């Protein structure tokens, strides 16, 4: 296996997920690591947390590519007395770099929502729900058509099979028997997109972190206007499908230059919710 430097890996990542595409509030790029060190093994994960760090150490990874930032709101300390600081210390001790591609990966072409759309069964052309002004092929969310119409109940069953398993599965709002063909998706928290025309024109919108009031008001407005059904998935589950896509993209780009790296997609479930309970009375 031909070693290459972390700097070369970062250059390839940023050609696919340009940091300039990230939102102004975001924190993307290299968190820790020496750009001059060789990289042979790269672990892709949604969350940079202790369990992912354990997996990286056990596998002998040289780099973790995470979707979520470690310090989104900044910090004044990396003390090992804090959970995030302890992770930084452990990664540095084991010569493991950490790199983040967040909202720049969300809007990339292909990006997080492309992978989500494919995971839930969309096979044809996709277009952004909110296209970028600089390039209409990029942007937030995706919308496309299923190969054939199906009921909302059938689509929800298909979607839950295509996504990684989580404690709460999917929450569905709408008539289970309604026909769906056009599907809008957005990886991660998506209720800020409920007002978009492309969402309202779809038969169903699948995203994560839908809050009660925005969802309820959206559904009430749709009762007279024929808006879409809603499907709420776990945040982690909607972004996990990007990991194999990103790993394949990076490995292929490097291989075209004669550089071979070993990639691995973390299957460590880092969703915050671990179980559910229902009242038996």
């Amino acid at each position: 296996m031909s070693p290459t430097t972390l700097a070369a890996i970062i250059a390839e990542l940023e050609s696919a997920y340009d940091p300039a595409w990230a939102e102004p509030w975001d924190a993307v790029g290299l968190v820790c690591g020496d750009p001059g060190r060789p990289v042979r093994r790269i672990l892709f994960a949604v969350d940079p947390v202790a369990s992912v760090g354990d997996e990286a150490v056990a596998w002998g990874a040289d780099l973790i590519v995470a979707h979520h930032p470690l310090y989104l709101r900044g910090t004044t300390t990396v003390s090992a007395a804090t959970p995030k600081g302890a992770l930084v210390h452990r990664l540095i001790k084991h010569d493991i770099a950490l790199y983040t591609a967040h909202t720049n990966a969300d809007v990339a072409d292909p990006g997080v929502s492309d992978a989500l759309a494919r995971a839930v069964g969309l096979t044809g052309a996709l277009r952004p729900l909110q296209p970028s002004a600089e390039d209409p092929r990029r942007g937030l969310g995706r919308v496309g058509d299923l190969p054939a119409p199906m009921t909302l109940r059938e689509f929800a069953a298909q979607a839950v099979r295509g996504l990684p398993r989580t404690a709460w599965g999917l929450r569905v709002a709408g008539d289970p028997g309604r026909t769906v063909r056009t599907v809008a998706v957005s990886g991660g928290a998506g209720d800020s997109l409920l007002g978009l025309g492309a969402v309202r024109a779809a038969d169903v919108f699948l995203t994560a972190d839908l809050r009660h009031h925005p969802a309820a008001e959206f559904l009430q407005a749709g009762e007279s206007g024929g808006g879409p059904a809603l499907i709420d998935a776990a945040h982690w589950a909607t972004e996990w499908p990007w990991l194999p896509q990103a790993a394949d993209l990076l490995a292929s780009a490097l291989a075209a230059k004669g550089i071979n790296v070993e990639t691995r997609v973390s299957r460590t479930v880092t969703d915050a919710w671990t179980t559910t309970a229902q009242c038996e009375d």
Side-chain angles (χ1 to χ4, degrees):
M1 188 176 295
S2 304
T4 190
T5 64
L6 175 58
I9 300 295
I10 291 173
E12 289 297 336
L13 285 168
E14 295 187 348
S15 70
Y17 312 113
D18 190 335
W21 301 339
E23 292 293 326
W25 49 262
D26 205 0
V28 302
L30 186 63
V31 179
C32 67
D34 179 352
R37 286 193 60 84
V39 172
R40 295 176 176 84
R41 287 184 163 187
I42 306 170
L43 179 68
F44 285 77
V46 174
D47 296 298
V49 293
S51 57
V52 170
D54 292 342
E55 182 179 359
V57 171
W59 183 53
D62 304 300
L63 168 64
I64 298 171
V65 176
H67 182 51
H68 290 149
L70 180 65
Y71 289 108
L72 181 58
R73 293 177 176 83
T75 186
T76 59
T77 178
V78 290
S79 165
T82 66
K84 293 184 178 183
L87 177 61
V88 171
H89 279 257
R90 188 163 193 219
L91 294 181
I92 292 173
K93 178 180 178 181
H94 291 277
D95 290 323
I96 301 172
L98 174 61
Y99 183 91
T100 295
H102 190 212
T103 54
N104 49 328
D106 287 337
V107 300
D109 174 32
V112 171
S113 291
D114 293 278
L116 173 59
R118 300 307 184 203
V120 300
L122 296 179
T123 58
L126 301 172
R127 58 191 183 277
L129 293 173
Q130 190 175 58
S132 164
E134 294 81 18
D135 182 351
R137 296 171 299 176
R138 294 191 291 103
L140 287 173
R142 292 294 185 269
V143 61
D145 292 330
L146 294 165
M150 60 179 64
T151 66
L152 176 61
R153 179 185 293 107
E154 291 169 333
F155 174 69
Q158 173 176 287
V160 80
R161 289 193 299 268
L163 295 174
R165 186 180 180 87
T166 56
W168 69 351
L170 299 179
R171 300 190 298 179
V172 183
D175 177 1
R178 72 175 287 176
T179 300
V180 300
R181 178 68 181 267
T182 301
V183 179
V185 303
S186 182
D191 61 17
S192 65
L193 305 179
L194 288 173
L196 296 179
V199 170
R200 293 185 177 275
D203 298 312
V204 59
F205 178 41
L206 186 153
T207 188
D209 297 345
L210 287 174
R211 293 170 295 164
H212 172 77
H213 291 295
E217 291 167 7
F218 178 81
L219 290 167
Q220 290 166 13
E223 288 176 358
S224 58
L230 297 177
I231 297 182
D232 186 36
H235 189 119
W236 171 83
T238 64
E239 295 177 328
W240 186 92
W242 171 74
L243 303 181
Q245 178 196 85
D248 289 345
L249 188 153
L250 176 62
S252 297
L254 291 170
K257 296 181 177 180
I259 301 168
N260 295 315
V261 295
E262 188 175 355
T263 62
R264 175 172 174 171
V265 171
S266 175
R267 294 189 175 274
T268 300
V269 178
T270 55
D271 185 51
W273 309 106
T274 56
T275 190
T276 59
Q278 294 288 337
C279 180
E280 299 298 330
D281 297 333

